[in-house]
């Protein structure tokens, strides 16, 4: 792995899209959303995308192909992938696919402090989360069913993964909710 360049899901996605064809940052963001990659890559803040592009450019992984001016649009810089960018993208892809990385999502962190609240409050909050997961799962299933007919499976494989993880969390969460309801999972109420 290239030691000087820090990988990230967004940086890999930018390199992958520029591997597809040169484009300006707005087109990158639009394609991420259009292709459903925003389920696995955070592009809600355009500034994060621009910082990532600046970093990749500074590291020589992408280069400016051209800057266009159109009276109807702001100036647009079109970027292309460099040979170094191709090599690094492949290194990152190999690493991300082969080696599980310790990630620190919010939900398990909150679960580790569940004893701070009474079991009744935990039940109410976890039921709410289970309902939201069910809604998310239904949306993912519908989107995947819609995409499946138009695209080869490999183009939506990350959507399959997100759906599987969501289903697993929902199933686990419902078992915890059932245990809380039945009194099989309990703890003394906190004094706070």
């Amino acid at each position: 792995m290239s030691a000087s360049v820090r990988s990230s899901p967004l940086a890999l996605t930018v390199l992958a899209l520029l591997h597809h064809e040169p484009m300006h940052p707005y087109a990158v963001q639009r394609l991420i959303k259009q292709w459903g990659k925003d389920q696995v890559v955070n592009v809600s803040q355009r500034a994060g995308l621009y910082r990532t592009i600046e970093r990749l450019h500074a590291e020589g992984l992408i280069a400016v192909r051209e800057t266009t001016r159109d009276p109807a649009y702001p100036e647009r810089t079109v970027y292309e992938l460099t040979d170094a960018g191709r090599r690094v993208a492949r290194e990152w892809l190999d690493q991300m696919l082969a080696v599980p990385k310790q990630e620190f999502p919010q939900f398990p962190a909150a679960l580790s402090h569940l004893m701070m609240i009474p079991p009744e409050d935990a039940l109410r909050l976890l039921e709410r989360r289970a309902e939201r997961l069910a809604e998310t799962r239904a949306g993912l299933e519908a989107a995947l069913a819609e995409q499946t007919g138009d695209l080869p499976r490999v183009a939506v494989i990350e959507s399959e993964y997100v759906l599987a993880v969501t289903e697993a969390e929902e199933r686990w969460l419902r078992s915890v909710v059932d245990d809380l309801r039945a009194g099989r999972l309990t703890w003394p109420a906190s004094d706070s």
Side-chain angles (χ1 to χ4, degrees):
M1 182 103 118
S2 297
S4 67
V5 185
R6 184 178 47 86
S7 69
S8 74
L10 180 55
L12 176 63
T13 300
V14 169
L15 295 178
L17 291 177
L18 294 179
H19 177 81
H20 177 66
E21 69 179 321
M23 62 185 80
H24 53 81
Y26 178 74
V28 169
Q29 184 180 34
R30 190 180 70 239
L31 266 184
I32 288 172
K33 290 180 178 182
Q34 183 181 344
W35 289 358
K37 305 302 182 199
D38 57 335
Q39 291 181 27
V40 293
V41 177
N42 184 0
V43 288
S44 60
Q45 300 290 323
R46 190 174 297 168
L49 174 62
Y50 280 91
R51 279 193 303 276
T52 298
I53 288 173
E54 288 169 7
R55 182 172 61 87
L56 295 172
H57 183 251
E59 294 288 347
L61 303 181
I62 63 175
V64 173
R65 175 177 258 194
E66 65 180 343
T67 301
T68 60
R69 297 182 197 315
D70 181 323
Y73 299 101
E75 179 177 283
R76 292 189 173 178
T77 302
V78 175
Y79 293 92
E80 64 186 354
L81 194 60
T82 65
D83 289 340
R86 270 185 192 70
R87 281 190 306 278
V88 167
R90 179 56 195 258
E91 290 173 14
W92 290 351
L93 185 58
D94 290 356
Q95 183 74 13
M96 289 178 188
L97 287 172
V99 181
K101 180 180 178 186
Q102 178 67 41
E103 297 173 319
F104 300 95
Q106 292 179 351
F107 182 57
L111 284 173
S112 74
H113 302 290
L114 203 55
M115 289 180 59
M116 292 177 64
I117 62 176
E120 310 80 50
D121 290 353
L123 174 61
R124 179 179 45 80
L125 295 169
L126 294 177
E127 284 174 330
R128 187 181 324 157
R129 183 180 184 93
E131 289 167 11
R132 289 188 175 150
L133 280 172
E135 292 168 8
T136 299
R137 178 186 38 76
L140 289 168
E141 288 170 342
L144 193 57
E146 185 178 303
Q147 293 172 333
T148 303
D150 300 336
L151 301 169
R153 183 176 179 208
V154 70
V156 295
I157 197 94
E158 76 280 1
S159 296
E160 285 184 16
Y161 172 78
V162 171
L163 176 58
V165 169
T166 302
E167 288 171 337
E169 181 181 341
E170 182 186 6
R171 191 170 40 256
W172 177 83
L173 194 53
R174 295 227 182 259
S175 74
V176 170
V177 164
D178 288 347
D179 288 346
L180 281 165
R181 277 193 195 122
R184 291 184 299 267
L185 175 61
T186 190
W187 55 89
S190 174
D191 293 335
S192 51

